[in-house]
Amino acid sequence: MVKKVAIVGAGPSGVLLAHYLLHRQEKYQIDIFDFRSDPETVPFSKSRTFSIVLSQRGINALRQIEGLEEAVKAVSLETNGAVLHQKNGKTRVFSRKYSQLSLDRTSLVIKLLEQLTIKGGNQVNLHFNHQCTQVDFAAKQVKFKKLDSEAEITVDYDLLIGADGARSVVRESFLKTENFQCKQNYVVNDYKSIFLPPLDPKLGINWQKGKVHSWRLDNGTTVLLVYQTDSSWSGVVLFPHKDKTIPELANKQEVLSYFRHNFPEIGQILPESEAEDFANRPVSRVLTVRCNRYHQGDSVLLIGDAAHGVSPSLGQGCNAALEDATIFNQILDKYSDNLAVAVEQFTLQRQADGIAVVELSDYAFPDSKKLFLELLFRNSLSKYLSPIFPKFFLPSLFELVAEGKLSYSEIFNLYQNWIAKVKKSNSMQPHKKL
Ligand SMILES: Cc1cc2nc3c(=O)[nH]c(=O)nc-3n(C[C@H](O)[C@H](O)[C@H](O)COP(=O)(O)OP(=O)(O)OC[C@H]3O[C@@H](n4cnc5c(N)ncnc54)[C@H](O)[C@@H]3O)c2cc1C
């Protein structure tokens, strides 16, 4: 009999999982619900999106569904490393063994949805402006408020997927069940998106297109910028939550003078219109999520940020979210679509990785300047010495995470001494003392 799947959240993880379920020989009728409007039809909103980098781990998850990698590549640019811009105007360039894709999160979702609509036929229904409000595990029913009419609907399910992000309502319902533990923390850095125009050749600024560019102040405020398909640059400004300098920039003059003083290269090309928008753009906070299980009973599963929300510092949240879909698909293969076994197996196979990716993302980068220099030094050593003396020098943590051959928990085990060192040092930084 065809099983009814309700997916809450049309983000990267929910939509990719729908693709995988669609490939399982018409076993599933799939309904996807999201409280936002259809991103394919509403005007593109800069305040709701940001650039993400997909490493091999995420690309591999797309590659297994025919046509997805190509569709996503068509709206992406290849990147193969990073450039650290130093205060003295010099740069440090880091190259990666494997290339990555940089693109906008909304563009990724639009491409996944476009392909799903083409392939889904009657087997997939999309419901936008539907906000999940409640789950009744015993009755196997989920409730939604229709945001355009305020009406409430109840949906029956055989399998419920909570792919509704770090503030998941599906996960909230787990709190009423026995032996469920979940720790949520705000990341110490808040962020605002930033959008810059194509570089004017007359200014003599020559940022390499295929790299992620970063600038960092001593207080940890960091600007990350990535080249876009329309020749513009977009990225984020990350800053410690306790430092109110950026949130308090009230108008375009204050924004312009802040950037000209602290990030002169960026201040030089920041247009007045973007300075105005930047002042008005809301500050965003990121929640990290650590859970002791990802399933409930025989029919509910959390995936993506709903299961393991991570700090954006390592650029792995979306990669891990996409990898979840692949792993659940492999489990369905192994257990012949027995859902009760599959959801439990997902916790058993994935929970350690979920915790590991949150830890790695929180503590791969130290706050202290001294440890940060040590990180750069260790990274250079790894690059040159690990291929020659693999027994004595580990490959770079960043390469291991990005290439996706080892699981997050295997990488965590290899790097646990470094993570413990950074954790200890970060807890002693003045801005961490709340
Ligand atoms: C600034 C920034 C930069 C990042 N950079 C990277 C990067 O470079 N690489 C990387 O891999 N990751 C990156 N990430 C992380 C990445 O964006 C997330 O990990 C990824 O989007 C998670 O996908 P998801 O589908 O699990 O959840 P989400 O993308 O959060 O999607 C959840 C969906 O659920 C919907 N929803 C929520 N609640 C409800 C409800 N009650 N009812 C109905 N629908 C609901 C939302 O509207 C949304 O569409 C970054 C994150 C940030 C904030």
Side-chain angles (χ1 to χ4, degrees), residues 8 35 130-135 142-145 164 169-170:
V8 184
F35 70 55
H130 279 64
Q131 181 174 20
C132 175
T133 51
Q134 215 180 317
V135 185
V142 53
K143 281 196 166 56
F144 295 92
K145 186 163 89 183
D164 49 342
V169 168
V170 178

Side-chain angles (χ1 to χ4, degrees), residues 9 12-13 34-36 50 53 105 132 164 191 304-305 315 317-319:
S13 64
D34 201 291
F35 70 55
R36 296 220 174 119
F50 41 81
V53 175
R105 179 201 169 277
C132 175
D164 49 342
Y191 75 92
D305 275 9
C318 193
N319 286 287

Side-chain angles (χ1 to χ4, degrees), residues 174 180 293-298 300-302 340 343-345 347:
F174 278 45
F180 179 67
R293 69 175 145 86
Y294 297 154
H295 75 287
Q296 167 57 32
D298 58 1
V300 187
L301 195 65
L302 300 174
V343 293
E344 188 182 5
Q345 280 297 321
T347 292

Side-chain angles (χ1 to χ4, degrees), residues 8-15 33-36 50-55 105 109 130-133 144 163-170 191 193 236 238 284-286 303-306 308-322:
V8 184
S13 64
V15 184
F33 301 85
D34 201 291
F35 70 55
R36 296 220 174 119
F50 41 81
S51 281
I52 57 173
V53 175
L54 289 184
S55 56
R105 179 201 169 277
V109 171
H130 279 64
Q131 181 174 20
C132 175
T133 51
F144 295 92
D164 49 342
R167 290 165 180 80
S168 167
V169 168
V170 178
Y191 75 92
S193 299
V236 286
L238 300 153
S284 299
R285 299 201 75 183
V286 179
I303 60 168
D305 275 9
H308 40 69
V310 303
S311 143
S313 62
L314 204 54
Q316 280 302 303
C318 193
N319 286 287
L322 297 175

